[in-house]
Amino acid sequence: MAESLDKQVERLLQAGTSKKAIFTRLGTEENQAKLLFLLNNKSLLFRRRKYMWVNLLLGAVLLAMTLRRLAAISAAGHFDFYLAADFIVPTINFYVLREIFRFHRTGYLFLSILTCLSLLYPENRVMPDLGVNIGMVAAAVYLYSRLFPKNERIS
């Protein structure tokens, strides 16, 4: 079975190949749009290593916030129609967590936007959560700007 385009791109990035070289090597008429998205969505290996600890700290904070939310849902103890709605936020958080740990650009964008939007909810504006949320937004924007510089985007 042939290796998927996503796995091929990841393998070549892990080998240290540049994004432009990957584009010329794997680019065809049929997969050009998908390949552009994949290359612009992934960071280079040396940047992943450089910012790994900041990324792990951001992921740990997001995981802690998600687990705290799940604990609050289970402590409420109500099993009704709205229980499914309670799991929307943790599900989205686990998706964003997956994207962050894989160093995908969309994860940092989603995290910064959704965390800013979460500040509209009064529960997230209480002092311990307010500082954590602002810190998560700052870390996500910092990592986004460092891992995905504008001059390296392929168009």
Side-chain angles (χ1 to χ4, degrees):
M1 189 165 127
E3 195 175 26
S4 71
L5 186 62
D6 186 30
K7 290 182 181 181
Q8 288 177 6
V9 168
E10 185 64 34
R11 183 177 42 83
L12 289 171
L13 282 174
Q14 292 288 334
T17 311
S18 71
K19 290 183 179 183
K20 290 183 181 182
I22 294 171
F23 184 73
T24 56
R25 181 175 175 182
L26 298 178
T28 63
E29 200 62 38
E30 298 85 32
N31 69 357
Q32 186 174 7
K34 185 176 181 179
L35 185 60
L36 281 174
F37 172 76
L38 289 173
L39 288 173
N40 287 329
N41 196 39
K42 295 179 182 281
S43 67
L44 296 174
L45 183 62
F46 75 93
R47 285 201 181 91
R48 292 180 191 186
R49 289 183 178 154
K50 185 175 180 180
Y51 297 105
M52 179 181 58
W53 293 108
V54 179
N55 194 53
L56 287 174
L57 180 65
L58 177 63
V61 170
L62 180 60
L63 181 63
M65 296 286 285
T66 305
L67 292 177
R68 198 180 90 201
R69 175 76 179 191
L70 286 172
I73 290 169
S74 69
H78 65 288
F79 295 102
D80 56 359
F81 176 71
Y82 297 110
L83 183 63
D86 287 338
F87 284 106
I88 292 173
V89 172
T91 303
I92 292 171
N93 284 353
F94 281 122
Y95 170 74
V96 170
L97 194 61
R98 175 186 170 267
E99 292 294 303
I100 285 173
F101 283 146
R102 295 179 78 195
F103 290 93
H104 287 179
R105 181 174 61 104
T106 53
Y108 301 104
L109 286 174
F110 286 157
L111 181 62
S112 59
I113 291 169
L114 293 175
T115 307
C116 285
L117 287 175
S118 76
L119 293 175
L120 296 175
Y121 192 59
E123 181 182 84
N124 293 329
R125 291 188 300 236
V126 179
M127 192 48 210
D129 288 346
L130 179 65
V132 170
N133 286 331
I134 291 173
M136 283 188 350
V137 170
V141 169
Y142 173 77
L143 285 171
Y144 177 79
S145 66
R146 298 294 185 213
L147 290 171
F148 307 100
K150 287 185 179 181
N151 60 356
E152 285 187 3
R153 290 195 189 141
I154 300 172
S155 52

